[in-house]
Amino acid sequence: MSATQILIGDEDQKSIRKKDHDNETKIVCFNISHFSQQVQFLLCSVAVFAFYLLYGYMQELLFTLEGFKSMGWQLTLVQFGYYTIFGVIETRIKDDTIRRIPFKTYCVLALLTLGTMGFSNSSLGYLNYPTQVIFKCCKLIPVMIGSVLLQSKRYGFLDVSAVICMCVGLVLFTLADTEVSPNFNVIGVVMISCALLCDAIIGNLQEKSMKSHKASNTEVVLYSYGIGFVYLFLILLTTGNLFRGFAFFSEHPVETYGYALIFSLTGYLGIQVVLTLVRTCGALAAATVTTARKAVTIALSFLAFTKPFTMQYFWAGSIVVLGIYLNVFSKKHKDFGPKDLVVIINKLKSNVVKPKRKIIASV
């Protein structure tokens, strides 16, 4: 065998190993490719809950610091900086330095990521934390709209019913917040709505870009947050808020940079898992898992931090949870329609009527 043939054989083996590496499905450093899709979905879901529950706790803890309410965009800048550092480290460890998605696409993704994270963080200066989270729970609404517009997807009766439940629950939760929460402000509603709009577009654009270009999670996170950091740095510098923010953070380095490090690390790991969900199960499945996690976050927020509570929060949250359940249920019953619902109702009525007839007969 000639040296040229050996060289070609080595190159083919490297290409095969590289292809196998690209096709691997991982949670942080653990390869879960050998598991079934159902098990992968379960493992990713557990990881999302673990990382993002701590993420939510640290986020609310940061905004309890006196004077921090107006530091949402500064926190976003620090968060993007941490994410960029984490991304650079991970690319070096994985030797994943080749960019596959076009730079123009990343410029758009970075802008949308900045809108999602920046508006979301800043809204906490105007909204109660559970209210912000309940808005995020309704992310499925813009995600579905984005899927229809960008990918021409179609949704059935159950998905539409889920959206209606979420809208009703969201309205009731917001009305309750206006009555009992001293932090409620319409500006916060506008901010979190803008964050949801950007988030909806991101999920579908990420799914489309990652599948068509076979890009890794690390690449997407690094470029999205790295370019977003440059965007926000220039914006804060131009508006004059950059140095004011750094001055405030310097006065409380442990509570700001320290808490933000934990907040960013758990968020970064959570993003990696969510991107894995997007890659393996689609944007809608990822949105369903993150939405369910937010429902748990709301309950923990009331337990961990003192805030006013009304039963309308519970009923409104229950309606949103019903919407989440309907969305999950629709995954196994895609052909379920109004006629099927009528059949179920009629069966329930017949089961209720029959015992009554027996009682009357016996009397």
Side-chain angles (χ1 to χ4, degrees):
M1 184 180 292
S2 65
T4 304
Q5 289 176 318
I6 295 173
L7 182 61
I8 293 174
D10 291 340
E11 291 296 326
D12 288 340
Q13 290 178 359
K14 289 180 180 179
S15 177
I16 293 171
R17 285 196 297 268
K18 180 65 176 175
K19 186 176 181 181
D20 291 339
H21 180 270
D22 291 341
N23 291 330
E24 288 180 352
T25 301
K26 291 185 176 182
I27 296 180
V28 190
C29 299
F30 301 99
N31 186 2
I32 60 171
S33 303
H34 56 284
F35 292 111
S36 65
Q37 188 176 19
Q38 289 80 5
V39 175
Q40 290 180 19
F41 177 79
L42 180 62
L43 292 173
C44 288
S45 299
V46 171
V48 167
F49 271 78
F51 290 133
Y52 274 115
L53 286 178
L54 182 56
Y55 173 88
Y57 176 81
M58 295 307 301
Q59 186 180 33
E60 188 167 7
L61 184 63
L62 276 164
F63 278 87
T64 59
L65 182 64
E66 186 177 353
F68 200 88
K69 298 284 185 186
S70 61
M71 292 292 144
W73 289 103
Q74 185 70 24
L75 173 62
T76 306
L77 180 69
V78 174
Q79 185 180 9
F80 274 45
Y82 278 134
Y83 282 7
T84 304
I85 294 172
F86 297 153
V88 170
I89 293 173
E90 189 173 6
T91 54
R92 294 295 181 271
I93 293 174
K94 293 183 176 180
D95 193 23
D96 184 18
T97 57
I98 300 175
R99 176 174 54 82
R100 296 173 179 82
I101 296 176
F103 189 77
K104 290 182 180 180
T105 303
Y106 275 126
C107 288
V108 177
L109 276 174
L111 187 61
L112 292 170
T113 304
L114 178 59
T116 299
M117 304 294 286
F119 283 122
S120 179
N121 287 337
S122 299
S123 69
L124 284 176
Y126 303 92
L127 289 177
N128 204 358
Y129 185 77
T131 305
Q132 186 230 45
V133 175
I134 205 72
F135 266 88
K136 287 183 176 181
C137 284
C138 297
K139 170 184 171 181
L140 286 173
I141 302 170
V143 165
M144 287 173 62
I145 296 173
S147 297
V148 171
L149 296 177
L150 295 178
Q151 302 188 50
S152 300
K153 288 185 178 180
R154 292 184 178 182
Y155 296 98
F157 172 75
L158 288 175
D159 289 316
V160 175
S161 300
V163 167
I164 293 173
C165 288
M166 289 180 182
C167 288
V168 172
L170 183 59
V171 170
L172 293 176
F173 202 98
T174 304
L175 289 174
D177 203 37
T178 59
E179 294 177 2
V180 302
S181 176
N183 296 331
F184 183 82
N185 193 308
V186 177
I187 296 176
V189 174
V190 174
M191 283 186 168
I192 195 63
S193 298
C194 291
L196 285 180
L197 182 61
C198 294
D199 204 11
I201 302 172
I202 282 178
N204 290 284
L205 186 57
Q206 279 179 345
E207 180 181 5
K208 192 174 182 179
S209 300
M210 291 176 72
K211 285 185 177 179
S212 59
H213 297 284
K214 297 182 180 179
S216 65
N217 296 352
T218 309
E219 177 193 331
V220 174
V221 171
L222 174 61
Y223 283 93
S224 297
Y225 287 93
I227 298 171
F229 177 85
V230 176
Y231 283 161
L232 186 54
F233 183 88
L234 294 175
I235 291 171
L236 292 177
L237 182 62
T238 304
T239 57
N241 293 318
L242 181 65
F243 298 107
R244 183 175 67 88
F246 277 132
F248 179 85
F249 272 53
S250 299
E251 292 176 4
H252 313 278
V254 176
E255 294 85 353
T256 53
Y257 291 112
Y259 289 175
L261 175 60
I262 302 173
F263 167 68
S264 301
L265 180 59
T266 53
Y268 181 84
L269 295 175
I271 288 170
Q272 296 286 1
V273 180
V274 169
L275 285 174
T276 300
L277 265 177
V278 170
R279 180 197 294 271
T280 57
C281 304
L284 193 60
T288 302
V289 172
T290 54
T291 299
R293 184 275 306 173
K294 293 182 183 89
V296 178
T297 301
I298 292 173
L300 292 179
S301 176
F302 280 109
L303 293 173
F305 299 92
T306 303
K307 54 176 66 69
F309 179 80
T310 175
M311 281 303 296
Q312 190 168 331
Y313 279 145
F314 174 78
W315 298 120
S318 299
I319 295 173
V320 173
V321 171
L322 174 61
I324 297 170
Y325 173 77
L326 288 174
N327 180 256
V328 175
F329 183 78
S330 68
K331 298 294 181 293
K332 293 184 178 180
H333 303 83
K334 295 182 180 180
D335 298 328
F336 190 95
K339 292 181 179 179
D340 300 299
L341 181 62
V342 172
V343 171
I344 293 174
I345 293 174
N346 290 334
K347 286 183 178 180
L348 291 174
K349 285 182 178 179
S350 63
N351 291 333
V352 172
V353 171
K354 283 180 181 179
K356 287 184 178 180
R357 288 177 178 174
K358 290 180 180 180
I359 292 172
I360 293 171
S362 62
V363 173

